[in-house]
Amino acid sequence: MTVNAVKAFQKSIKIPVTGVADKNTINLLIKASAVPKASNGKTENQQNTSQVFTFKKGTPGSLSGKIVVIDPGHGFNDPGVTRENVYEKTMTLDMGLRLKRILTEAGAMVIMTRATDGNSGYNSLYYRSAVANKLIVDLEREKLEKENAEFEKQMSNFQNLLISKGAELEKLNSEDREINKQKIDDLTKEIAELTESSDELKEKIDLNKTRIEDLYNMSLTFNYYIEQPSYKERYGIMKNPLEMAKVFELTKEKYNKDIVFVSIHCNSTTAETQTSASGVQVYVQTENDTYYTDYYNNYDYERRKILGMSLLQELNLSTGFSKKYTSLFKSRLSVLRENNLPSVLVEIGFFNNPSDLKIIKDQQQRENASFGMYKGIEKYFEYWKK
Ligand SMILES: [Zn+2]
């Protein structure tokens, strides 16, 4: 390390600039070099020579009990937009993983549609919604399995009671039936009631069993897509409207309060370079889309819009793009259409605007953008507490 490099380091971490690598400086250097390497091989500090990189933190417990599905756009042999050797797929994954770290600190459970570049080819759009849909059917199946385990316990209590009451009745009948008449009548009534309750419970158990099997089969179908991310055959509301409607209704009825789906992308217009294109755009599912009147259209638009606006506002605050959008974009994008969680797609900056790209390439700015998404998600859940 040269004297100038030592000076630069001392300046960057705001300790006296002497150019001498004394014990204190060396200790701080060791600490700084322990910062994880970024995707381009430079440490966080080397990315920002003018200031020290700051990790943003989630507030512990602020999102406990919540689940966030993060969908980093593109991956593997689908790079997305590319400029200056920077790939959209790399930036979306980077921001997705940062968001995961912050959300986990806040106590949320995070599910990534991809946590690496991928190794089995292109991740189809149906694969991405399959991750969300499988989550829903698995949660419901696990709930019913737990419920049935409880029911089975109750059932075995009923059976034991019926056996002992039956034996008691037999004994009374074998003795003096005139003297025991009242007792026999009471016991007979009790046994009849127990039998009725046990029959009702049996019906519930059987109903749950059918439902569990149904959910298990749906889970297998979604899993087929999850295990083969490149599988291009469509499985969605236009191909399998009735099956998908079942999952969508289940999501809306029971699972859209504590779970959200966020797809992360970066933007570009068709022009090679366009300096007027800038900022964060947030997409939500088109309301009452006449194009799809024959298919499912019972999305929870209110939740989607509130999630979208919360993310847009917080992303505008946390990023330094020259343009700030103030309203949402509506679209029938697959990742919004093919699952029924409150779902949004965020486009963070324009690759074909050099000033936007400069921001996207800066790790601190990406950390800030991820923190903005976290704040948006937190704000969304706060909204429903009121
Ligand atoms: Zn994209």
Side-chain angles (χ1 to χ4, degrees), residues 74 88 265-266:
H74 312 278
E88 181 187 353
H265 286 254
C266 296

Side-chain angles (χ1 to χ4, degrees), residues 241-279:
L242 298 177
E243 285 162 64
M244 290 304 282
K246 275 198 227 170
V247 183
F248 282 20
E249 284 303 315
L250 171 65
T251 310
K252 191 170 184 185
E253 193 191 327
K254 296 184 187 172
Y255 293 99
N256 74 350
K257 307 228 169 17
D258 296 318
I259 316 176
V260 294
F261 181 99
V262 180
S263 189
I264 305 172
H265 286 254
C266 296
N267 222 333
S268 173
T269 59
T270 48
E272 178 58 29
T273 303
Q274 189 180 337
T275 51
S276 62
S278 172

